[in-house]
Amino acid sequence: MTRDSATPRYGKLSMTLHWLMLALFVGVYTSIELRGMLPRGHALKGLFLGLHGLFGLSIFILVWVRLLGRLTPRPPITPALPLWQTGVSHLMHLALYGLMIATPLLAWLMLSAGGKPMPYFGFFLLSLVTVDPDLARQFRHWHELLGSAGYWLIGLHAAAGLFHHYWVRDNTLTRMLPGRSGNAVNQRQR
């Protein structure tokens, strides 16, 4: 997933997964927002809901690959962060990984409890719980609540990267940018 700890940037696979998952999040949120803008009974509502589910399940699958990658060394942030910022960073990443696991899982549980199939590329995933409409409503509530929180988490994550790049002037952001050396950019900013 990543190169050895002396390398100033993440490995190509880590970078690819990071930016691919951003694209999937854009797809998740765009499709559900577009669906919400359409009038009741519109023919495209089903298409957008299907895309929302497809993108969401793709995030759920890829997050496990990303978690495996977290077991390998990551390139250091230079200059080193204060301990409190490192702690906040770890909490933010924990929240983002929780979002990427819990939100699609809640959708799967919601559909299962609602007696609906969970489609993924022409296959249908097994039902996780027995049919229970009240439980389905509860899962929907939590799915939507986490989905709304995701806007904030993703926005804060992006804002932190930009803050570190333009204000702190460390290599936090450039470690994840393809085709750039974090050290070269850091030197230019001084």
Side-chain angles (χ1 to χ4, degrees):
M1 277 290 175
T2 61
R3 301 172 190 181
D4 63 68
S5 60
T7 303
R9 295 182 335 152
Y10 282 93
K12 288 181 182 178
L13 182 58
S14 289
M15 283 188 241
T16 300
L17 284 172
H18 180 271
W19 297 108
L20 173 60
M21 292 187 80
L22 172 62
L24 290 170
F25 268 114
V26 168
V28 161
Y29 285 111
T30 300
S31 58
I32 205 65
E33 292 296 335
L34 289 173
R35 181 183 186 273
M37 292 178 192
L38 295 172
R40 187 178 201 107
H42 195 283
L44 290 179
K45 278 182 106 58
L47 171 68
F48 285 129
L49 186 60
L51 287 172
H52 175 77
L54 180 72
F55 296 143
L57 273 177
S58 296
I59 288 171
F60 184 71
I61 291 166
L62 291 175
V63 72
W64 301 105
V65 178
R66 295 215 43 209
L67 282 169
L68 284 174
R70 301 266 315 168
L71 299 175
T72 62
R74 290 179 294 285
I77 296 174
T78 53
L81 298 178
L83 192 57
W84 72 268
Q85 284 184 14
T86 301
V88 171
S89 169
H90 290 312
L91 286 174
M92 173 57 79
H93 282 99
L94 181 65
L96 285 167
Y97 281 105
L99 175 77
M100 291 184 273
I101 292 169
T103 310
L105 185 58
L106 285 165
W108 190 356
L109 288 164
M110 172 185 67
L111 289 174
S112 295
K116 298 175 184 170
M118 182 68 158
Y120 191 67
F121 285 111
F123 297 97
F124 294 97
L125 304 180
L126 298 173
S127 182
L128 297 177
V129 295
T130 59
V131 175
D132 182 341
D134 290 332
L135 190 57
R137 280 189 289 281
Q138 289 177 14
F139 287 138
R140 179 181 178 143
H141 168 76
W142 288 105
H143 173 76
E144 290 174 354
L145 187 67
L146 280 178
S148 294
Y151 284 108
W152 289 98
L153 288 173
I154 295 164
L156 285 171
H157 179 69
L162 293 172
F163 173 78
H164 278 272
H165 186 72
Y166 291 107
W167 185 265
V168 179
R169 296 187 182 268
D170 61 22
N171 70 337
T172 297
L173 178 63
T174 57
R175 295 176 315 147
M176 191 53 81
L177 294 177
R180 294 181 165 220
S181 168
N183 288 340
V185 171
N186 223 12
Q187 302 250 329
R188 183 191 54 160
Q189 291 175 341
R190 290 183 194 164

